[in-house]
Amino acid sequence: MGPTVNHPVRSALPTMTFRWIERRVADPERITRMQTELNGIDRALARALIIRGIDSFEKARRFFRPSTEHLQDPFAMRDMDRAAERVVAAIRDRESVLVYGDYDVDGTTATALVTAFLRSHSATASFFIPDRIENGYGLSRAGIDVAAERGASVIVALDCGVTAVEEAEYARRHGIDLIVCDHHTVKHQLPDAYAVLDPKRPDCTYPFKELSGCGIGFKLVQAITSLLGEDQSDLEQYLDLVALSIGSDIVPLNGENRVLMQEGLRRLRTNASVGLRALANGAGVDLGDCSTSQIVFALGPRINAAGRLGDAGRAVELMLATDYATAQPLAGILEETNERRRGIDRDTVEQAVAMLEQTFHESDTHGIVLHDHHWHPGVIGIVASRVVERFVRPAVLLTTINGLAKGSARSIPGVNIFEALRQCDDLLEEFGGHDYAAGLTLKPENIEPFRERFDEAVSEMATDDLFVASIDYDAAMDLSSIDGRFWAVLRQFAPHGPTNDDPVFRSDGLRVLGRPRTVGQDDKHLKFVVRQRDSRPMEVIAFGLGDRIDILEKSRGTGQPIDMLFSVSERTWNGRRSLQLKGRDVRLSSAPA
């Protein structure tokens, strides 16, 4: 399940309007039963639980009280015994181990976690992060050559490697044992490595399939710790890194991921590593109140920026830092790099939107493919996401590197981008990824044939309603239901992410009180106050909806009420906490005043 809200990129194009879709509950009686089992909780909350698959008291207990006791046995994963035993032998015999990670947040956090763990056991461990331009994505011969030069007898590849068939053979010829720790979709053939840890491999019966790459690394160190007879609680020190990976890699936030994110956020709030404290200080993030959204929008982008525009190894060094004097300058470099990345993002988004304004036709465009020789490879994934958000179509953005077109693909809910690329694989040099994001390489002369084939593949996979921007909501409710008890239950729905979005509610027939106003840079946001019948007034902040000010002004001037989609949050002002509504969309109501 992917994101359900498509936030528009503001441009010269018309203001985006959304369909409002109430999420379905097959059996409404289940809602009533959940209310009874959970001591009469509000019906809107019971409905939101049912939508998330929480339909019994026991499931609700696990949902509201995630615990490390609910983590799966790492040895249930195929090849885990071989992988853990090999690393234990390397630690015992003082062999040199190279930890090889991808250059994004998931890959760098995984690299830092496994490297720190090995070093804490006096292992000879170094790390290698490939350069995005020189080495490209994934396990490469260049990285294996580095391992050979350093005298490594073991490579632990994290967040990559499950498609590296030729590279695994290359490592074998160098006498290096390769352990793959990946979570991406398996292609036709597994690499012939010493061990391949990937819950998505067809012959793996591990019960939870959606771990992040760093999560796989964490399961490996869990297994190693078990073989060494050590206390598993010692691994809590690495959970802040796991939380960063889960939030940034947009993996489903249920099952083990919910437990790992909950515990990781607790670690971030109370005892984060020195490096992450320095990163948060530079970003202006209060770790004491850290949430998934702060990972996604503040911490993650700064780590990602290192691999997009510079040396991702700096992010790993930051996360491995043991004193603030070492961490602070590294955090400063990441902050500067992220500011530069944001400027390039803005320019590239403008160029991509301008290209599409000339060619985009809603009726006959199903998949978008854009190519520009000069686009920076480090930002095209982000820009592809912006294009998807604005045009509600799967999108591939390509640039040119060393004579080949390389790029990133992003998708919409309902279209598996990996499968769409698989239908074009004869036109591609290589590709890899999962449902919503992928990377690819092709020859420039194949771009046009690929554009046509990709559009056709998406057309076959999607129905027309998927191409209309929509917001799914959990339940209709009255504002009078929002009180302290309601919030006490709702706050326990966190942490939020895919499969467990922040619940969205609908209220109709709202009166706008006072004068609404736009706030923020370029008046992008809205602040206003609403009341529903005899409810108490409630403040609303609506991010990105500044262009809806006319609707509110009309409502205020004519007395015609509004309908609103919103989530509920808590704000702190001058030391006082209060509930506010986060507006997701507003429209004039058809109901009488």
Side-chain angles (χ1 to χ4, degrees):
M1 177 177 171
T4 57
V5 180
N6 301 302
H7 298 288
V9 172
R10 306 298 173 191
S11 73
L13 295 170
T15 297
M16 180 177 287
T17 57
F18 298 100
R19 287 187 306 140
W20 295 6
I21 303 174
E22 186 176 47
R23 289 170 166 159
R24 290 185 65 253
V25 171
D27 179 10
E29 285 301 312
R30 294 166 68 194
I31 302 174
T32 304
R33 289 197 296 271
M34 278 301 291
Q35 285 185 276
T36 302
E37 287 192 40
L38 298 180
N39 299 320
I41 66 168
D42 188 89
R43 186 171 181 83
L45 294 174
R47 195 177 197 280
L49 285 171
I50 296 294
I51 287 166
R52 285 157 180 76
I54 313 301
D55 57 2
S56 69
F57 179 84
E58 179 57 28
K59 289 182 181 178
R61 187 182 69 81
R62 279 181 168 247
F63 181 75
F64 289 131
R65 300 287 184 271
S67 166
T68 52
E69 295 176 2
H70 302 149
L71 294 177
Q72 303 291 339
D73 177 3
F75 289 103
M77 195 177 298
R78 184 69 179 239
D79 275 5
M80 182 61 81
D81 51 349
R82 283 177 56 80
E85 288 166 4
R86 183 66 186 88
V87 177
V88 167
I91 293 172
R92 183 190 62 230
D93 298 336
R94 301 298 176 91
E95 297 176 65
S96 177
V97 180
L98 180 80
V99 183
Y100 189 118
D102 188 24
Y103 39 63
D104 65 1
V105 178
D106 194 14
T108 53
T109 52
T111 301
L113 189 159
V114 174
T115 303
F117 174 81
L118 291 174
R119 289 177 178 175
S120 73
H121 287 75
S122 302
T124 305
S126 63
F127 69 85
F128 177 81
I129 304 290
D131 182 273
R132 182 184 293 265
I133 296 176
E134 289 185 16
N135 307 122
Y137 168 78
L139 191 64
S140 67
R141 292 192 175 205
I144 296 168
D145 288 340
V146 169
E149 291 167 6
R150 295 180 186 175
S153 53
V154 179
I155 293 175
V156 179
L158 296 151
D159 193 32
C160 62
V162 78
T163 61
V165 174
E166 294 180 3
E167 289 78 9
E169 177 58 31
Y170 188 72
R172 181 186 294 276
R173 292 203 302 269
H174 278 74
I176 299 174
D177 290 334
L178 172 64
I179 296 171
V180 171
C181 304
D182 206 347
H183 69 130
H184 292 102
T185 304
V186 177
K187 286 187 181 178
H188 311 293
Q189 178 184 355
L190 284 172
D192 186 13
Y194 189 88
V196 177
L197 308 180
D198 188 337
K200 292 177 182 171
R201 58 183 286 183
D203 58 350
C204 182
T205 58
Y206 191 77
F208 187 67
K209 304 293 185 182
E210 301 298 337
L211 289 165
S212 66
C214 187
I216 305 291
F218 181 77
K219 301 305 292 188
L220 175 60
V221 300
Q222 265 194 312
I224 296 167
T225 299
S226 177
L227 290 181
L228 293 173
E230 297 175 350
D231 189 345
Q232 292 281 317
S233 64
D234 291 343
L235 301 181
E236 291 177 4
Q237 62 185 300
Y238 305 118
L239 289 175
D240 50 4
L241 297 174
V242 181
L244 276 176
S245 78
I246 292 171
S248 299
D249 218 52
I250 320 296
V251 291
L253 252 177
N254 56 10
E256 276 193 286
N257 283 342
R258 181 169 174 81
V259 175
L260 292 169
M261 175 60 89
Q262 181 93 319
E263 295 301 316
L265 284 172
R266 183 176 290 117
R267 185 78 187 184
L268 278 167
R269 292 166 184 159
T270 60
N271 196 16
S273 67
V274 171
L276 295 184
R277 292 204 304 270
L279 184 72
N281 287 342
V285 171
D286 177 11
L287 285 181
D289 197 33
C290 189
S291 66
T292 306
S293 63
Q294 287 167 314
I295 289 175
V296 174
F297 296 111
L299 302 180
R302 285 163 170 80
I303 295 172
N304 255 336
R308 294 186 186 282
L309 300 186
D311 177 7
R314 288 172 173 164
V316 178
E317 292 289 3
L318 172 68
M319 291 182 274
L320 289 173
T322 57
D323 61 84
Y324 206 79
T326 302
Q328 191 171 29
L330 289 167
I333 292 172
L334 265 60
E335 187 70 29
E336 294 170 8
T337 306
N338 189 54
E339 281 301 311
R340 189 157 48 93
R341 187 271 308 167
R342 292 173 65 181
I344 298 172
D345 281 358
R346 285 191 295 269
D347 292 344
T348 310
V349 168
E350 289 177 4
Q351 293 165 18
V353 169
M355 291 168 68
L356 281 168
E357 284 177 327
Q358 305 300 318
T359 61
F360 181 78
H361 300 286
E362 277 195 346
S363 60
D364 57 12
T365 301
H366 306 101
I368 293 169
V369 177
L370 299 175
H371 175 238
D372 188 290
H373 293 287
H374 304 295
W375 281 341
H376 196 292
V379 304
I380 54 178
I382 300 173
V383 177
S385 296
R386 302 288 186 268
V387 170
V388 170
E389 291 164 1
R390 181 61 189 89
F391 293 90
V392 200
R393 301 290 190 280
V396 176
L397 261 68
L398 300 163
T399 188
T400 302
I401 303 175
N402 299 326
L404 289 173
K406 295 191 176 187
S408 294
R410 298 292 185 269
S411 196
I412 59 175
V415 177
N416 185 317
I417 197 72
F418 183 85
E419 292 302 323
L421 293 180
R422 195 199 293 271
Q423 294 185 36
C424 310
D425 63 355
D426 59 307
L427 297 171
L428 305 176
E429 298 300 300
E430 59 181 4
F431 71 98
H434 43 76
D435 291 10
Y436 290 100
L440 65 158
T441 302
L442 67 161
K443 295 177 180 177
E445 59 266 28
N446 284 338
I447 292 176
E448 284 305 317
F450 169 70
R451 179 179 281 116
E452 295 177 8
R453 182 89 65 81
F454 180 71
D455 185 86
E456 180 181 337
V458 172
S459 174
E460 292 174 355
M461 298 172 72
T463 54
D464 289 344
D465 62 310
L466 295 181
F467 298 139
V468 180
S470 64
I471 304 178
D472 295 349
Y473 66 93
D474 293 85
M477 63 175 295
D478 289 339
L479 293 188
S480 59
S481 298
I482 302 174
D483 56 17
R485 184 167 186 252
F486 182 94
W487 175 244
V489 177
L490 180 61
R491 69 188 301 177
Q492 295 179 71
F493 277 59
H496 299 298
T499 71
N500 184 35
D501 297 326
D502 196 352
V504 176
F505 305 103
R506 172 176 176 168
S507 287
D508 293 350
L510 307 180
R511 270 195 306 137
V512 179
L513 306 181
R515 182 177 293 278
R517 58 194 176 95
T518 55
V519 295
Q521 186 178 9
D522 300 325
D523 294 327
K524 287 184 177 180
H525 316 307
L526 275 178
K527 291 195 78 171
F528 56 103
V529 178
V530 294
R531 170 183 280 164
Q532 185 183 42
R533 295 186 295 278
D534 296 326
S535 76
R536 63 187 177 88
M538 299 218 53
E539 293 186 354
V540 182
I541 178 70
F543 295 108
L545 296 183
D547 54 16
R548 306 296 205 273
I549 186 70
D550 293 344
I551 294 174
L552 302 185
E553 292 288 5
K554 183 174 181 179
S555 171
R556 184 170 174 270
T558 64
Q560 183 177 0
I562 63 168
D563 302 339
M564 183 170 69
L565 297 184
F566 61 91
S567 55
V568 184
S569 64
E570 189 175 52
R571 69 188 290 261
T572 302
W573 180 253
N574 288 334
R576 297 183 61 185
R577 293 179 179 268
S578 61
L579 297 182
Q580 69 172 1
L581 309 182
K582 285 188 176 180
R584 300 297 184 93
D585 199 18
V586 296
R587 64 191 185 194
L588 289 171
S589 177
S590 57

